[in-house]
Amino acid sequence: MKTFLGRVIAVVVGIFLFIYLCFLLLTALGSFLGDEEKISLKKNSILHIQLDDSILESPFEADFFSFNLKQTKNIYLYNILKEIKNAADDENIKGVFLDLEFPSQTSINKISEIRKALADFKTSGKFIYAYTNRTDQNDFFLASLADSIFHHPMGSIEWKGLGSEVTFYKNLGDKYGIEFEIIRHGKYKSAVEPFIRTDLSEENKFQMKTLLTNFWEALVSKVSESRKVSPEELHQAANQLAGLNAEEAKSAKLIDVLAQKEEVYSFLKQKLDTDEDLKENHFINWVDYASTKKEKYSSQKIAILYAGGNILPGEGSTGIQSRTYLDAIQAIEKNDAVKAVVLRINSGGGDAVTSDEILFQLKKLHTKIPIIVSIGDVAASGGYYIAQSSDRIFAEDFSITGSIGVFGIIPNFKDLANSVGITTDTVSTNANTIYYSPLRGLTPFAKEKLRQSVEKTYDRFTEIVAKGRKLPIAQVDSLGGGRVYTASEALQENLVDELGGIDKAISFAAQKAEIKDFEIVHYPKRADNLESLIKELNLSTQIAEQIIGTQNTALLQQYIQIRSLQKMKGIQMWWPYQVHF
């Protein structure tokens, strides 16, 4: 049977390889024959911005499970920011059209960075108009910057406030005889609460309420400033869900004009004073716009090292896996052209040992070149730990950081086993050879040892942060306990140095390295889709085939999360929650 399955897998992989090589040959032949049309920028152009496709931080975020022959252009945040900046100085670009017809599913921090770039664009005196239809809260935040918002007469805006829902598993464990033994340091270290409680602790409820309130007030303040609508009116609109009805949205001053999309095109044609077809002659999207610019090459490089996802031991393209990242850091260290590093973190943490290994390698690199940290959506727990060897830490307005704390979680199925008549017995050579068994649990001695290990790990965490942030250990301990902070709170407590996005971090890195002309290079380097796919096929051919055949993003994320959890053993530095805007 194993031989048969091995042959089946070999045939499937062989077919994929053959198709892929044929595709590469056809693509190369098409390029050689000059089939690809060269894009040129025309006068009187409008930068057409749509958020239908996912905006990625790095190539590592690209979905390597999805294998098809359609060649898509991945859109990266750094490139978007660069092209908006270029457009501001380009005399051929007369303005921006934000085409927000469908929800983008883009995180609030990416939206915030794009919004800031567009705010700088507006200082050039050029126009920004937005069209909204089925619009979520993040996209409305982006649209609020526009000179005017055109909204479909039957469209909706999800302006509702912020909330978080936590799922608890204790009753499920009690029902089926599964016990979770928890060892943690910090009353705010809430990652373990779903396994030991049926509701939020007062400490966790307090920190989450504080987090959500601070983010919401910042969001309302920025929309209020752009839309010239009072914060009180915006709170009222959210309470009444006024955005779900187009007429109410207009009355609440969330939008300016009710119009069909074709009517918006007519308005823009009048703005340009042209009778030509707008989409064919005057629209250019940011990917095509980038292709009209000459790439800037330099012998001096600034490396962006992307650290996104759960921190895990091993090697691969999902999360921050130890071997992959240690190799990437060493590759940067060997590249004499790299004069500075921007460490871009989007991680709630994970494995404590892996976090420490990565930090150790970053410290070695830091003795040679500057390292600047840019926090995206989150740098909490282990994600904040790896930021501690840096010259400066930047955080976006809606970044989450902190969560200085550690925990261990050990499940056992003793009661479940007993309930169905399963018993165990042991023979061993030493007193604690079998200190843990899924069917017997932890021995009291082992539990005490693990508690001591958690405490020592926490002490090391606070010492590392105290040294990195130049703070007394007692102050770091008072800020720790697993509590998370908004960027503004973290700035006030000296956990970060400055508010700003990846652009600011890159500028500071160049300043620190004393270079003006430089090229951006990206790490870790990623294998192509097929190579990544072949590596991932070694688990389960049936599951892999189902994943490959689907375009369901949520399913893919769940699959990746389950794979990540399988690698999480031992003591963890982790903050697993997400705030949904």
Side-chain angles (χ1 to χ4, degrees):
M1 186 66 181
K2 288 183 178 179
T3 304
F4 173 73
L5 287 175
R7 289 175 179 173
V8 170
I9 293 171
V11 170
V12 171
V13 172
I15 291 171
F16 279 142
L17 277 169
F18 177 75
I19 294 172
Y20 185 69
L21 290 172
C22 289
F23 174 67
L24 287 179
L25 180 62
L26 289 171
T27 301
L29 183 60
S31 299
F32 176 76
L33 295 175
D35 288 342
E36 189 173 342
E37 183 181 350
K38 184 173 177 60
I39 297 167
S40 60
L41 180 64
K42 298 176 182 178
K43 292 182 179 180
N44 232 20
S45 291
I46 296 174
L47 188 62
H48 185 204
I49 295 179
Q50 293 175 294
L51 300 180
D52 296 353
D53 295 320
S54 296
I55 298 173
L56 308 179
E57 288 275 357
S58 73
F60 256 44
E61 288 187 3
D63 173 24
F64 59 85
F65 289 114
S66 178
F67 182 78
N68 54 60
L69 294 182
K70 182 181 178 183
Q71 197 173 29
T72 57
K73 295 179 180 179
N74 290 322
I75 299 173
Y76 299 109
L77 177 63
Y78 171 74
N79 293 336
I80 294 169
L81 302 179
K82 181 175 67 174
E83 299 317 323
I84 293 174
K85 184 176 181 180
N86 287 338
D89 300 324
D90 194 328
E91 61 181 14
N92 291 316
I93 299 292
K94 301 303 178 184
V96 166
F97 177 44
L98 289 172
D99 190 352
L100 306 176
E101 186 171 5
F102 302 103
S104 66
Q105 304 302 316
T106 301
S107 74
I108 187 64
N109 270 303
K110 290 174 186 172
I111 290 289
S112 181
E113 293 207 47
I114 294 170
R115 195 177 189 273
K116 287 178 179 178
L118 288 172
D120 290 339
F121 176 89
K122 284 184 77 171
T123 62
S124 67
K126 300 178 181 182
F127 64 77
I128 299 179
Y129 292 104
Y131 172 75
T132 56
N133 190 341
R134 307 164 186 86
T135 306
D136 65 17
Q137 199 156 252
N138 288 3
D139 291 351
F140 173 69
F141 176 52
L142 179 61
S144 67
L145 184 74
D147 301 316
S148 293
I149 300 177
F150 296 84
H151 187 64
H152 190 277
M154 295 182 66
S156 61
I157 294 173
E158 203 175 51
W159 181 250
K160 59 181 181 176
L162 301 180
S164 182
E165 184 177 22
V166 180
T167 302
F168 296 87
Y169 306 102
K170 183 179 184 301
N171 287 341
L172 179 68
D174 291 346
K175 181 177 180 179
Y176 291 103
I178 304 170
E179 181 183 2
F180 297 96
E181 297 189 73
I182 306 298
I183 305 168
R184 64 173 171 172
H185 186 109
K187 60 184 179 181
Y188 292 101
K189 200 63 183 173
S190 53
V192 299
E193 284 193 358
F195 303 101
I196 59 175
R197 295 181 60 93
T198 59
D199 59 359
L200 296 168
S201 66
E202 289 302 315
E203 293 84 3
N204 194 17
K205 189 175 289 187
F206 169 77
Q207 76 166 346
M208 292 184 73
K209 179 70 173 177
T210 301
L211 197 75
L212 293 172
T213 300
N214 288 346
F215 279 155
W216 178 240
E217 291 300 334
L219 198 66
V220 167
S221 175
K222 293 176 187 299
V223 173
S224 172
E225 182 181 356
S226 297
R227 295 289 303 158
K228 305 294 188 291
V229 181
S230 71
E232 293 74 22
E233 290 175 294
L234 289 171
H235 282 299
Q236 180 68 8
N239 291 337
Q240 298 298 321
L241 296 177
L244 297 185
N245 179 281
E247 292 286 352
E248 285 186 47
K250 185 178 178 183
S251 298
K253 306 175 189 175
L254 297 180
I255 54 100
D256 299 293
V257 182
L258 295 177
Q260 297 284 344
K261 198 170 185 179
E262 288 297 324
E263 294 175 300
V264 184
Y265 291 153
S266 297
F267 170 82
L268 291 173
K269 286 174 72 172
Q270 291 177 4
K271 193 76 180 173
L272 294 181
D273 191 21
T274 181
D275 293 325
E276 295 180 311
D277 183 273
L278 200 68
K279 288 181 277 188
E280 287 187 11
N281 297 291
H282 297 282
F283 273 3
I284 185 166
N285 66 54
W286 47 29
V287 177
D288 289 340
Y289 179 63
S291 70
T292 68
K293 302 293 180 183
K294 290 184 178 180
E295 288 292 334
K296 184 177 183 180
Y297 295 101
S298 173
S299 59
Q300 300 181 121
K301 321 287 185 185
I302 290 179
I304 303 179
L305 176 62
Y306 297 95
N310 296 330
I311 300 174
L312 305 165
E315 181 178 12
S317 301
T318 56
I320 308 168
Q321 299 207 31
S322 57
R323 190 68 264 154
T324 301
Y325 277 79
L326 296 177
D327 288 348
I329 296 166
Q330 289 168 356
I332 294 171
E333 188 176 356
K334 293 174 184 176
N335 188 345
D336 293 334
V338 175
K339 305 303 179 184
V341 171
V342 172
L343 176 61
R344 175 70 169 186
I345 302 175
N346 271 298
S347 173
D351 181 68
V353 172
T354 302
S355 301
D356 198 64
E357 288 176 332
I358 291 172
L359 179 62
F360 176 80
Q361 203 66 44
L362 286 169
K363 283 181 176 179
K364 283 184 62 182
L365 179 62
H366 195 204
T367 61
K368 297 183 177 181
I369 56 175
I371 296 179
I372 314 302
V373 169
S374 171
I375 299 175
D377 297 330
V378 58
S381 205
Y384 184 67
Y385 186 86
I386 65 174
Q388 297 311 305
S389 185
S390 58
D391 298 280
R392 199 163 187 80
I393 299 178
F394 288 83
E396 254 293 348
D397 293 334
F398 300 99
S399 297
I400 295 170
T401 191
S403 192
I404 300 168
V406 293
F407 71 91
I409 179 168
I410 304 96
N412 75 70
F413 308 92
K414 180 170 55 179
D415 293 340
L416 173 62
N418 291 339
S419 69
V420 294
I422 297 174
T423 60
T424 65
D425 202 353
T426 63
V427 176
S428 60
T429 59
N430 292 80
N432 288 286
T433 300
I434 308 176
Y435 68 85
Y436 167 72
S437 163
L439 298 182
R440 297 172 70 91
L442 277 173
T443 65
F445 181 83
K447 189 169 184 176
E448 174 58 23
K449 281 289 185 180
L450 286 174
R451 187 195 65 77
Q452 293 173 12
S453 184
V454 165
E455 292 298 328
K456 287 180 180 178
T457 303
Y458 179 79
D459 290 343
R460 179 170 174 79
F461 198 159
T462 53
E463 287 171 9
I464 291 289
V465 174
K467 185 177 180 180
R469 301 303 305 158
K470 298 180 176 58
L471 295 171
I473 289 180
Q475 184 178 344
V476 174
D477 184 42
S478 70
L479 295 170
R483 183 173 175 181
V484 292
Y485 298 89
T486 64
S488 57
E489 290 174 323
L491 180 64
Q492 189 175 5
E493 300 293 353
N494 201 26
L495 294 176
V496 304
D497 298 295
E498 191 171 338
L499 298 183
I502 194 167
D503 267 357
K504 269 195 172 183
I506 291 170
S507 296
F508 188 85
Q511 177 186 335
K512 190 74 177 175
E514 299 181 347
I515 57 176
K516 291 184 178 179
D517 294 319
F518 57 88
E519 180 187 349
I520 296 294
V521 290
H522 306 273
Y523 289 86
K525 303 296 184 184
R526 177 178 167 172
D528 63 33
N529 281 5
L530 187 63
E531 186 178 337
S532 299
L533 174 66
I534 291 170
K535 286 183 179 180
E536 293 300 322
L537 275 173
N538 64 2
L539 253 191
S540 164
T541 305
Q542 184 179 4
I543 291 176
E545 286 175 350
Q546 291 173 350
I547 293 295
I548 292 161
T550 185
Q551 296 298 316
N552 188 323
T553 304
L555 176 62
L556 292 170
Q557 290 174 341
Q558 289 174 12
Y559 183 75
I560 291 170
Q561 185 71 14
I562 291 169
R563 292 287 311 280
S564 299
L565 288 172
Q566 290 176 335
K567 292 190 175 185
M568 286 189 173
K569 298 177 181 179
I571 296 172
Q572 301 293 307
M573 298 176 176
W574 193 30
W575 188 79
Y577 301 136
Q578 292 182 338
V579 177
H580 296 285
F581 283 76

